[in-house]
Amino acid sequence: MGRSRRTLPEELLLLALDPATGTTAQPQSLDLGLAGAQLVELALAGRIAPDGDRIAVVVPRPTGDPTLDCALELLRRRGAPVRAVHWIGGPRLGLRQTYLSHLERCGMVHAVAGQMCGVLPTTRYQATDTEISREIRARLDSAIRTGVPPDPRTAALAALAHAVGLGKHLYPGNEGRSSRSRLRDLIRHDPMGGLVAHAVMDVQNGAAAQPRRSPAPTPGRPAAGARPAPEPARGVPMQPRHGSMARAVAH
């Protein structure tokens, strides 16, 4: 993958960056959105593909983008398709900062050091080229205004922006209500973007942590397929089982 095109995680982060304050809108859900944007970018590059509600690696060849390739390698190591909701719901260790630092190295933002309450050090990120952010925003505005089906990249960006709650940041107040509604409707124009966006929203709603329901067991009889809980040896505590939540990309 060449570096002439900005990736979806970079565009989503630039959309979320407030030009006045230098902070990012919806920081917690934005971390989920960045992980989802990586999946969409890898799909656009032909490296992964949806398999129901799961993500399968179809071409493990690196893209040339270190952060995306790290995500691709983690997916490949799983050996089997992983549920999108589990991948996105994994711990997001420094993913937003990784992309902010990358944008700074590319000259698209610059860091501004400061202090909170005169004591705690803080860092804000100001866009150095607002034309880039305006171009990204114009693509969304055009898709919303014209009603013409957008290209897959723009449709996926719109789906992710809606999923992380950027609609109220991009189109605030009552006057932006119709634009927010149309932003949400763009989710249907890209299947991969729609899958990932719904996974992001499911994680925020706690769906990733909810086990699938099994049929109710007959009184006095265990459910089909259920194994009786083993008794611990005397003096030996039971060890908790660890889940299979996919680990997120972090640098």
Side-chain angles (χ1 to χ4, degrees), residues 199-241:
V200 169
M201 291 184 284
D202 283 346
V203 172
Q204 293 180 81
N205 293 331
Q210 296 175 2
R212 294 186 178 181
R213 294 183 178 180
S214 301
T218 304
R221 180 181 301 175
R227 297 181 180 178
E231 293 185 5
R234 292 179 180 273
V236 180
M238 289 289 288
Q239 296 297 320
R241 295 184 178 182

Side-chain angles (χ1 to χ4, degrees), residues 77-159:
R77 290 179 185 176
R78 292 298 299 270
V82 58
R83 290 186 67 202
V85 71
H86 283 171
W87 174 265
I88 292 169
R92 305 268 75 84
L93 301 177
L95 189 57
R96 182 164 25 117
Q97 186 57 50
T98 294
Y99 276 107
L100 283 169
S101 298
H102 170 74
L103 291 177
E104 184 181 17
R105 289 193 301 270
C106 293
M108 285 188 273
V109 302
H110 69 276
V112 179
Q115 288 184 329
M116 180 183 297
C117 302
V119 178
L120 299 176
T122 61
T123 303
R124 296 180 295 112
Y125 290 87
Q126 300 287 162
T128 56
D129 187 352
T130 55
E131 182 61 31
I132 295 175
S133 298
R134 284 198 295 268
E135 182 272 327
I136 297 170
R137 173 69 179 271
R139 282 164 44 208
L140 288 186
D141 290 345
S142 177
I144 288 173
R145 183 179 64 255
T146 64
V148 176
D151 62 274
R153 180 173 293 274
T154 301
L157 181 62

